[in-house]
């Protein structure tokens, strides 16, 4: 029987360029991404100083979120004619899988796969866990390449039909004091209209000529400050699901840029959407807007909208999704 970890461990990935990434076994989290700015190792993400502080984290910093990330309306969904009730940890809704979600689990480090630039973490989520059906066997592999790309590969299988939607919840500021002065470009032609509690109405809205258009680079702070959009004003910024264009994986779905530090982050993914969250609710150790999330995932609340891409995983299927965070100097 595999011994379950009970202490936070840190795994360091490095490359010859001077980039380094710290991964935690707790929540299969990204603790730190450092990238050289003017030859100085500079933190690109928001995080706590010590690994132990993540044990009480309420912001999902760098976390692997699931079994189903984002929100499920009323914490309920139907599958094969049966209704499942999940924990309601976000008002009436289920967020990121509920109170005891994958962000708060100790994942097993696969020592056989561990090198100085790659690590795989494993987790078994038993039948009934969080209220979901099926025993799920999961792996998350982080790999740092020589050309400064941090790839995340999710893999899972199940013994019963279930639902799954995994994402990474890192907050990026690219070495700046917050995300407001960052420039964002995103290959998304539409977004999901959502209600006051961030649950989709079911409508998919074109971004053209709206404050949801990031077809060209946009200053995040200027857009948020000057918007007249009702939803953006009510939510104090972005916490919206963007529908990604169906372009080749090799084309970045989003590019975040710090003109001050002359650094860019390109997000590559085979996921169908990105949840853009600009961090208004950060507090305590942190300040509002101190980092933003580009959470590559499936559509929010897909389990309750038949016309959205499905989260369903069957026993004869393999769940595989990929995210790459690529860093570059733009001088």
């Amino acid at each position: 029987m595999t011994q379950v970890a009970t202490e936070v461990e840190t795994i360091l990935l490095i490359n010859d360029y001077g980039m380094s990434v710290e991964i935690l076994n707790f929540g299969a989290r990204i603790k730190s991404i450092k990238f050289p700015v003017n030859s100085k190792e500079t933190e690109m993400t928001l995080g706590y100083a010590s690994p132990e502080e993540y044990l009480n984290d309420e912001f999902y910093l760098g976390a692997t979120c699931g079994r189903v990330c984002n929100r499920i309306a009323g914490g309920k969904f139907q599958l094969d004619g049966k209704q499942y009730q999940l924990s309601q940890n976000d008002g009436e809704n289920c967020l990121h899988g509920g109170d005891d979600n994958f962000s708060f689990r100790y994942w097993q480090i696969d020592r056989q796969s561990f090198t100085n630039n790659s690590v795989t973490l494993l987790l078994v989520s038993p039948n009934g866990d969080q209220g979901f059906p099926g025993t799920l066997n999961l792996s998350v592999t982080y790999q740092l390449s020589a050309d400064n790309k941090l790839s995340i590969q999710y893999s899972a299988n199940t013994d019963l039909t279930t639902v799954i939607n995994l994402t990474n919840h890192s907050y990026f500021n690219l070495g700046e004091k917050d995300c407001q002065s960052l420039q964002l470009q995103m290959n998304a032609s539409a977004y999901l209209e959502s209600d006051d509690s961030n649950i989709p109405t079911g409508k998919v809205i074109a971004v053209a000529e709206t404050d949801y258009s990031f077809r060209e680079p946009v200053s995040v702070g200027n857009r948020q400050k000057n918007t007249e959009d009702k939803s953006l004003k009510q939510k104090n910024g972005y916490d919206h699901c963007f529908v990604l264009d169906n372009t080749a994986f090799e084309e970045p779905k989003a590019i975040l840029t710090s003109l001050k530090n002359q650094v860019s982050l390109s997000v590559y993914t085979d996921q169908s959407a990105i949840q853009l969250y600009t961090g208004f609710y950060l507090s305590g150790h942190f300040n509002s807007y101190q980092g933003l999330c580009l959470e590559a995932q499936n559509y929010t609340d897909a389990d309750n909208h038949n016309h959205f891409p499905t989260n369903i995983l069957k026993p004869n299927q393999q769940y595989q999704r990929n995210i790459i965070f690529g860093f570059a100097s733009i001088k």
Side-chain angles (χ1 to χ4, degrees):
M1 184 174 177
T2 304
Q3 188 174 359
V4 179
T6 56
E7 293 183 358
V8 184
E9 291 189 57
T10 304
I11 302 103
L12 178 64
L13 309 180
I14 56 174
N15 69 11
D16 291 337
Y17 186 82
M19 183 174 170
S20 65
V21 177
E22 290 180 64
I23 304 296
L24 299 180
N25 64 333
F26 182 74
R29 295 172 183 250
I30 297 173
K31 178 183 181 292
S32 167
I33 300 175
K34 291 191 175 78
F35 184 78
V37 173
N38 297 321
S39 302
K40 181 183 178 182
E41 204 175 57
T42 303
E43 182 60 61
M44 298 285 107
T45 65
L46 200 59
Y48 297 102
S50 71
E52 288 70 29
E53 288 176 279
Y54 287 84
L55 298 175
N56 299 308
D57 170 50
E58 57 184 298
F59 305 116
Y60 303 96
L61 295 186
T64 297
C65 298
R67 185 175 294 200
V68 173
C69 68
N70 216 317
R71 292 166 177 86
I72 297 177
K76 298 176 183 177
F77 69 96
Q78 284 202 344
L79 186 62
D80 293 341
K82 181 179 178 181
Q83 180 167 286
Y84 293 88
Q85 179 65 60
L86 315 171
S87 66
Q88 294 162 293
N89 62 330
D90 183 58
E92 295 182 353
N93 306 313
C94 180
L95 176 63
H96 295 322
D99 293 314
D100 180 27
N101 64 69
F102 296 166
S103 311
F104 305 115
R105 307 285 178 89
Y106 286 97
W107 294 58
Q108 177 192 345
I109 300 170
D110 184 353
R111 298 291 178 185
Q112 291 180 314
S113 73
F114 176 45
T115 64
N116 67 349
N117 64 359
S118 178
V119 66
T120 297
L121 300 109
L122 309 172
L123 183 71
V124 177
S125 174
N127 182 32
D129 187 19
Q130 305 168 312
F132 293 99
T135 296
L136 203 62
N137 290 284
L138 298 127
S139 72
V140 178
T141 298
Y142 291 101
Q143 185 162 8
L144 179 59
S145 70
D147 60 347
N148 304 314
K149 290 185 172 72
L150 177 64
S151 67
I152 310 171
Q153 183 179 72
Y154 302 111
S155 183
N157 57 62
T158 180
D159 62 347
L160 297 173
T161 300
T162 191
V163 290
I164 181 173
N165 183 18
L166 302 181
T167 193
N168 179 270
H169 206 289
S170 292
Y171 291 76
F172 297 99
N173 53 31
L174 305 187
E176 297 205 29
K177 69 180 192 304
D178 57 38
C179 70
Q180 295 280 55
S181 60
L182 300 180
Q183 303 269 322
L184 177 62
Q185 183 174 8
M186 196 155 34
N187 283 332
S189 300
Y191 71 100
L192 303 185
E193 183 183 69
S194 57
D195 65 17
D196 296 352
S197 59
N198 289 315
I199 296 295
T201 63
K203 291 183 180 178
V204 180
I205 310 292
V207 302
E209 298 180 11
T210 74
D211 283 344
Y212 298 91
S213 176
F214 290 93
R215 308 294 296 177
E216 302 295 330
V218 171
S219 165
V220 173
N222 286 349
R223 173 69 66 79
Q224 293 188 146
K225 180 180 178 181
N226 298 315
T227 187
E228 293 299 321
D229 181 83
K230 179 182 175 183
S231 179
L232 289 174
K233 291 177 80 170
Q234 182 183 34
K235 296 175 186 180
N236 297 287
Y238 291 94
D239 196 358
H240 297 79
C241 188
F242 288 78
V243 177
L244 296 174
D245 297 347
N246 187 21
T247 53
F249 183 86
E250 294 75 22
E251 293 183 38
K253 297 298 195 295
I255 301 174
L256 189 67
T257 305
S258 165
L259 297 177
K260 176 185 175 183
N261 289 330
Q262 293 286 284
V263 172
S264 71
L265 161 64
S266 296
V267 181
Y268 308 83
T269 187
D270 52 11
Q271 300 265 41
S272 58
I274 282 181
Q275 182 82 11
L276 169 62
Y277 172 50
T278 50
F280 171 73
Y281 289 103
L282 288 167
S283 61
H285 288 278
F286 310 109
N287 301 314
S288 293
Y289 311 120
Q290 199 170 341
L292 66 74
C293 301
L294 294 164
E295 306 163 51
Q297 57 190 259
N298 192 26
Y299 291 26
T300 310
D301 199 31
D303 311 295
N304 290 307
H305 295 273
N306 291 333
H307 62 296
F308 287 179
T310 185
N311 284 336
I312 294 174
L313 181 68
K314 297 181 177 180
N316 61 345
Q317 297 174 327
Q318 185 80 9
Y319 174 87
Q320 284 205 312
R321 299 291 186 275
N322 297 276
I323 302 169
I324 295 176
F325 297 133
F327 292 84
S329 297
I330 56 175
K331 290 178 181 178

